[in-house]
Amino acid sequence: DDAFWFPWLLAGRDFEGAFLFRGQAQIVSQRLEEVSWAPKEGEGEGEKWPRESLAASYHDLHNVVGADVVRWRERALTADRDTMLVGPNVLLVPYLPEHVPKYHAWMQDEELQHHTGSEPQTLEEEVEMQQKWRTETDKCTFIALDRQSKEMVGDINLFFYERDDPSHAEINLMVPEAGQRRRGLATEMLGLMMHYAYQRLGARVFAAKIGEDNPPSLTLFRRLQFQEESFSSYFKQHTLTWRPAAT
């Protein structure tokens, strides 16, 4: 069902609806519709207010900051260094020194190195990298924890490298351990990060670069309505992009 409601969520739209399932996986029917109100805090169920009054909290960055989005993002990332994003099953937390040993162990896997375009590093180099990334403002990194066990289950990153388009964010993530996959964690991680980046960091266009030999990642992003933008025959890599409907 996330293929239906996920784009609405990231666009900051208020909606309601229902899904009728057969078993746990087959959707028999579904209904989603946008609503133009939200209940006032502390008011009765019948109270409504115009959605326009929510515009500042949802879209203040894009409407007010405009061309100065880079400076806004730098300030936001500096202020948010200790921010945690909370989902139903996942916590996205800052990449801290205590995470480095396990992250380093993950990255010794040659397949992960291949899919993430990473070079093998020593533990000391990884420590230096964590310290460097902690202060840089052209990228945003979170470690994903299982919300119940607090166990590390992955990481997710945004890179703001497009000088001609400061609202362009390249996104990548990984759930390295096979036992943690197929739990919906990657979808939840993407939802948390993209919603945060759109509202707080000025991201309007999200791009994912994925090798043709990584079908699970291609399936994930396509299911979330990322569209094919280009394919590099030299690198054998797809670039998929998604532009939130609100833009």
Side-chain angles (χ1 to χ4, degrees), residues 136-238:
E136 291 182 333
T137 55
D138 60 353
K139 59 180 65 70
C140 178
T141 296
F142 286 100
I143 293 293
L145 307 180
D146 180 281
R147 184 168 174 174
Q148 285 192 325
S149 69
K150 306 302 186 291
E151 180 183 355
M152 282 177 62
V153 295
D155 84 325
I156 187 164
N157 308 278
L158 282 177
F159 302 95
F160 297 94
Y161 289 163
E162 294 287 338
R163 293 186 178 180
D164 295 335
D165 184 2
S167 66
H168 183 282
E170 182 178 332
I171 190 165
N172 65 45
L173 80 161
M174 66 175 183
V175 179
E177 298 174 5
Q180 301 290 359
R181 296 173 187 162
R182 304 186 68 81
R183 296 177 51 203
L185 301 181
T187 297
E188 190 172 322
M189 290 161 63
L190 281 167
L192 289 169
M193 176 65 105
M194 292 173 68
H195 195 251
Y196 167 73
Y198 180 74
Q199 289 195 343
R200 180 71 171 151
L201 305 181
R204 292 193 181 196
V205 179
F206 297 93
K209 296 182 178 179
I210 305 169
E212 67 174 2
D213 59 350
N214 191 355
S217 288
L218 288 170
T219 298
L220 168 67
F221 281 89
R222 286 170 174 160
R223 180 166 54 83
L224 298 177
Q225 301 186 21
F226 277 69
Q227 304 297 317
E228 185 89 24
E229 182 166 295
S230 62
F231 176 75
S232 169
S233 55
Y234 180 80
F235 291 107
K236 300 187 184 305
Q237 185 180 71
H238 297 265

Side-chain angles (χ1 to χ4, degrees), residues 3-220:
F4 293 97
W5 56 258
F6 188 85
W8 294 51
L9 175 68
L10 292 185
R13 298 162 70 185
D14 295 317
F15 60 91
E16 62 182 12
F19 291 86
L20 177 62
F21 282 86
R22 178 176 290 123
Q24 295 185 349
Q26 184 182 357
I27 298 175
V28 178
S29 64
Q30 60 87 18
R31 175 185 60 81
L32 281 176
E33 57 186 32
E34 188 166 12
V35 294
S36 59
W37 59 274
K40 282 186 180 180
E41 220 174 287
E43 294 289 341
E45 203 171 299
E47 296 290 331
K48 299 183 180 183
W49 61 346
R51 189 181 190 284
E52 285 71 26
S53 61
L54 301 177
S57 62
Y58 279 139
H59 303 300
D60 57 335
L61 175 61
H62 298 304
N63 289 338
V64 177
V65 179
D68 205 19
V69 65
V70 174
R71 190 169 69 168
W72 176 288
R73 179 165 59 243
E74 289 173 352
R75 290 175 177 175
L77 285 171
T78 300
D80 292 355
R81 280 180 186 157
D82 297 318
T83 293
M84 177 173 65
L85 307 183
V86 179
N89 303 294
V90 169
L91 303 175
L92 296 186
V93 301
Y95 183 26
L96 299 175
E98 56 260 37
H99 301 132
V100 173
K102 185 162 187 176
Y103 184 87
H104 176 67
W106 283 343
M107 296 311 298
Q108 301 313 297
D109 184 275
E110 293 184 359
E111 185 178 2
L112 275 180
Q113 291 173 12
H114 169 69
H115 287 315
T116 59
S118 303
E119 297 291 331
Q121 300 202 47
T122 65
L123 181 58
E124 291 73 20
E125 290 171 330
E126 200 68 67
V127 169
E128 291 179 11
M129 186 68 71
Q130 180 275 326
Q131 294 171 345
K132 181 170 179 260
W133 281 33
R134 178 82 167 141
T135 59
E136 291 182 333
T137 55
D138 60 353
K139 59 180 65 70
C140 178
T141 296
F142 286 100
I143 293 293
L145 307 180
D146 180 281
R147 184 168 174 174
Q148 285 192 325
S149 69
K150 306 302 186 291
E151 180 183 355
M152 282 177 62
V153 295
D155 84 325
I156 187 164
N157 308 278
L158 282 177
F159 302 95
F160 297 94
Y161 289 163
E162 294 287 338
R163 293 186 178 180
D164 295 335
D165 184 2
S167 66
H168 183 282
E170 182 178 332
I171 190 165
N172 65 45
L173 80 161
M174 66 175 183
V175 179
E177 298 174 5
Q180 301 290 359
R181 296 173 187 162
R182 304 186 68 81
R183 296 177 51 203
L185 301 181
T187 297
E188 190 172 322
M189 290 161 63
L190 281 167
L192 289 169
M193 176 65 105
M194 292 173 68
H195 195 251
Y196 167 73
Y198 180 74
Q199 289 195 343
R200 180 71 171 151
L201 305 181
R204 292 193 181 196
V205 179
F206 297 93
K209 296 182 178 179
I210 305 169
E212 67 174 2
D213 59 350
N214 191 355
S217 288
L218 288 170
T219 298
L220 168 67

